[in-house]
Amino acid sequence: MKEHTLQSTFKHYESDAELPTPERELLAHARAALTHSYSPYSNFKVGVALQMANGEMLGGSNYENAAYPLCICAEQSALAAAASRYPGVAVLAIAIVVKSPHKVIDSPAAPCGGCRQVICETEQRNQQPIRIVLQGETGPVYVFDTGASLLPLAFGPGYL
Ligand code: THU
């Protein structure tokens, strides 16, 4: 028997003011995109911004539906939009911010498991790690260098 440890490392900034400029701008873009969230059922808003390898930034937000299982997370709607709008262009970074109707979220909310899976496949497809920048409504910012670091032992196309 062997025992293995899975670890991931991330950077912790006390606020967005401490961030390098590109990440601060990406977070601001995500914050603006959050205002377009269509979330009348959960009232939970998620905004994202993608930094594309061609220099473009693309915003996205969660997109809900009265048939609840059809709700699309912000990360997945943005990544799908990016693949259509800029085919063949790698995603370099994603900023993700959230806003709850019930409380001020003052710590970063990490993407759900399904979104991690989609981020990982985008990394593999483009052969390009995606930096992940997370903030709540306010408070500290966490930066992960890759999506894979948020999803150890991920399922992927190699198993098929
Ligand atoms: N949501 C996202 O957009 N991204 C996530 O990573 C987790 C959850 C959305 C889905 C739904 O519209 C709302 O947040 C509440 O779950």
Side-chain angles (χ1 to χ4, degrees), residues 10 20 37 50 81 103 113 120 128:
F10 62 94
S37 163
L50 303 180
K103 56 186 176 183
C120 283
Q128 170 65 52

Side-chain angles (χ1 to χ4, degrees), residues 58-127:
L58 196 69
S61 53
N62 50 333
Y63 191 63
E64 297 189 347
N65 192 280
Y68 297 165
L70 298 180
C71 292
I72 304 173
C73 287
E75 297 88 333
Q76 294 182 54
S77 74
L79 289 167
S84 309
R85 175 95 194 267
Y86 302 116
V89 179
V91 180
L92 301 181
I94 181 170
I96 308 170
V97 297
V98 296
K99 184 168 165 45
S100 163
H102 306 298
K103 56 186 176 183
V104 174
I105 298 179
D106 58 6
S107 62
C112 76
C115 289
R116 295 179 201 201
Q117 186 72 28
V118 173
I119 292 168
C120 283
E121 183 139 341
T122 306
E123 288 183 333
Q124 288 185 24
R125 183 181 181 207
N126 295 328
Q127 292 293 294

Side-chain angles (χ1 to χ4, degrees), residues 6-79:
L6 299 167
Q7 310 188 338
S8 59
T9 304
F10 62 94
K11 297 187 183 71
H12 177 146
Y13 297 89
E14 286 310 326
S15 79
D16 48 358
E18 273 185 20
L19 281 174
T21 307
E23 271 116 359
R24 200 171 54 247
E25 288 177 358
L26 199 63
L27 262 185
H29 202 97
R31 192 74 60 200
L34 179 146
T35 63
H36 305 306
S37 163
Y38 176 62
S39 42
Y41 307 105
S42 72
N43 291 308
F44 188 82
K45 294 175 192 285
V46 184
V48 310
L50 303 180
Q51 179 62 61
M52 306 299 296
N54 62 1
E56 298 290 335
M57 263 189 220
L58 196 69
S61 53
N62 50 333
Y63 191 63
E64 297 189 347
N65 192 280
Y68 297 165
L70 298 180
C71 292
I72 304 173
C73 287
E75 297 88 333
Q76 294 182 54
S77 74
L79 289 167

